[in-house]
Amino acid sequence: MFERPRGGERAVLVHLDMGQVDEHQALEEFTELAYAAGAEPVATITGARRAPDAKYFAGTGKVAEIQQQVEATDADVVLFNHTLSPVQERNLERELKCRVLDRTGLILDIFAQRARTHEGKLQVELAQLKHLSTRLVRGWTHLERQKGGIGLRGPGETQLETDRRLLGERIKLLNRKLEKVNKQREQGRRARKRAELPTVSLVGYTNAGKSTLFNTVTQSDVYAANQLFATLDPTLRRVDLDEGEAIVLADTVGFIRQLPHDLVAAFRSTLQETRDADLLLHVVDAASPQREDNIRQVNDVLAEIEADTRPQLLVFNKIDLLPELSPRIDRDDEGKPVRVWVSAKTGDGIALLMQAMTEIVQQATVHEQLVLPPAEGKLHARLHAMGSVLFENTDSQGRWLMTIAMPAPTWASLNKHFHLEHYISHDSTEDRLAVGSEAP
């Protein structure tokens, strides 16, 4: 039908007002996404619709306007700040005679450029293939024909069916590889649990300054830049806090509104660091006029990956851009830290952040004495595997008398499945272990 260009840098941006809360912010963010992908926006077309058009998403008049801009600016690609169906993409490409990408395709392209580790590349490829699997037809009519001719006669598959089958096999292979990588990550998480090191995960809207904060706290040199999705692959470092406490700090990918579901699914193993964290440092760009909306967007993604129950400490970053603000810790009615105001760039407030994390980590550890009957061998083994047993002894009835320590979220999770509160003993540790305590 047409030859696709090899370029793709000159882009026409299309954003239609569909009744969202802040259209101006959505357009600004979309423009930043285009630059992050390496595109050169040469024109921006806006409009308003109550509902998408089934054929083109935009109306026929708006499509004609886009076509005029494509021809006038010699654009290589049209980027829509919306999610397009495969049919809409195909119809738009037929009319505009150039490539058309929706918001999901644009974000996937950015992720493909930023992936550095083996796991990150696997995750991005998996997300891209899932996205592509619904778009195989697009402009390629030959895919609908059966293979024929000498040496090409097959079992009756069309080229489209063959490509879909091969795509499905590749997706299965990637899932198997990612499962293997995930098992390796799980071993690392278990080792940290055995070492009784709490995990603190940095989360936040993209470009909130998470990697800069990570580098300042850990004295590392993780790549940080003033652009969307500068960080893709998770990085973990041990951090020594005040009063002899230590944690493992994890820097993770930033979130964004309308994060593609395929991307969330593909990065689920990476986001597991966030789901299993003992504390989330929710980094917020304090200088952003949309900071409250960004906080809501991050919390929505946390809920989607089932991490919304993790304890949070809000870290308002970039106060160096707001001269009226100074470093401080905000506390709730019980005196617990809930917000810390810092500048990761200048280092102001970092000492206060370390103090707040120390307080939370100390408060978030559960110490209990348990009496487990012999029938609870599975739970007994689980506690030892987690490295949570401080002392242990047995009584004349064969019961295990144990003193355990673990992070509060881990206690809550185990209690939900094993009803640990039923085995709590209110006798003193000295009384129960007087016959000779034995460390595991």
Side-chain angles (χ1 to χ4, degrees), residues 98-239:
C98 71
R99 285 195 66 201
V100 175
L101 274 182
D102 65 356
R103 181 184 176 88
T104 299
L106 180 62
I107 293 176
L108 287 173
D109 185 80
I110 296 171
F111 272 54
Q113 295 179 46
R114 302 284 162 78
R116 293 292 178 269
T117 65
H118 174 63
E119 180 186 13
K121 292 176 181 178
L122 289 177
Q123 290 168 326
V124 171
E125 184 182 355
L126 178 61
Q128 286 182 315
L129 291 182
K130 286 184 176 179
H131 184 67
L132 177 64
S133 62
T134 60
R135 289 162 164 75
L136 279 179
V137 178
R138 284 183 72 162
W140 306 94
T141 55
H142 76 279
L143 294 176
E144 299 169 1
R145 297 195 299 268
Q146 285 192 355
K147 293 177 289 187
I150 297 174
L152 292 177
R153 294 186 180 91
E157 279 188 329
T158 64
Q159 183 66 47
L160 178 59
E161 289 168 342
T162 301
D163 286 359
R164 279 180 175 157
R165 176 171 51 80
L166 294 175
L167 203 62
E169 291 173 358
R170 179 64 179 170
I171 288 174
K172 289 178 182 178
L173 176 62
L174 290 173
N175 278 322
R176 287 197 297 270
K177 288 184 176 181
L178 281 172
E179 187 177 347
K180 182 178 180 181
V181 174
N182 192 31
K183 287 180 180 177
Q184 295 171 344
R185 281 193 171 277
E186 188 60 38
Q187 289 177 348
R189 279 191 285 268
R190 285 199 297 268
R192 294 196 296 273
K193 290 292 184 183
R194 286 195 295 271
E196 296 184 12
L197 285 179
T199 300
V200 178
S201 183
L202 290 168
V203 299
Y205 208 76
T206 183
N207 203 28
K210 296 183 298 301
S211 294
T212 303
L213 180 64
F214 181 87
N215 287 336
T216 302
V217 171
T218 63
Q219 298 181 352
S220 301
D221 57 353
V222 170
Y223 177 71
N226 184 26
Q227 59 186 11
L228 300 183
F229 299 120
T231 301
L232 204 79
D233 304 305
T235 307
L236 291 85
R237 294 286 188 276
R238 178 190 169 110
V239 178

Side-chain angles (χ1 to χ4, degrees), residues 284-355:
V284 181
D285 182 354
S288 171
Q290 292 84 28
R291 69 187 190 192
E292 295 302 323
D293 183 53
N294 290 348
I295 291 173
R296 284 193 297 272
Q297 295 291 340
V298 170
N299 287 332
D300 287 344
V301 178
L302 289 175
E304 186 174 351
I305 64 173
E306 301 174 2
D308 51 328
T309 58
R310 302 287 89 182
Q312 273 194 36
L313 174 64
L314 284 169
V315 181
F316 283 87
N317 188 28
K318 303 186 182 182
I319 62 171
D320 54 294
L321 302 178
L322 301 168
E324 69 276 11
L325 293 178
S326 58
R328 70 176 191 271
I329 298 178
D330 294 340
R331 300 177 181 273
D332 60 14
D333 295 337
E334 299 176 358
K336 296 179 180 179
V338 291
R339 282 181 298 274
V340 185
W341 300 77
V342 305
S343 169
K345 184 177 180 180
T346 65
D348 292 338
I350 298 301
L352 294 176
L353 175 61
M354 303 288 272
Q355 175 189 332

Side-chain angles (χ1 to χ4, degrees), residues 16 30 39 64 111 148-149 170 214 216 281 308 326 359 376 380 383 393 404 408 427 438:
L16 302 181
F30 182 55
F111 272 54
R170 179 64 179 170
F214 181 87
T216 302
L281 290 188
D308 51 328
S326 58
E359 292 181 32
E376 287 294 346
H380 176 261
L383 292 171
N393 202 356
I404 64 168
D427 296 335
E438 180 182 339

Side-chain angles (χ1 to χ4, degrees), residues 25-26 29 103 107 205 255-259 293-294 297:
Q25 181 200 0
E29 183 177 89
R103 181 184 176 88
I107 293 176
Y205 208 76
F255 299 152
I256 196 170
R257 59 175 48 81
Q258 300 175 34
L259 194 63
D293 183 53
N294 290 348
Q297 295 291 340

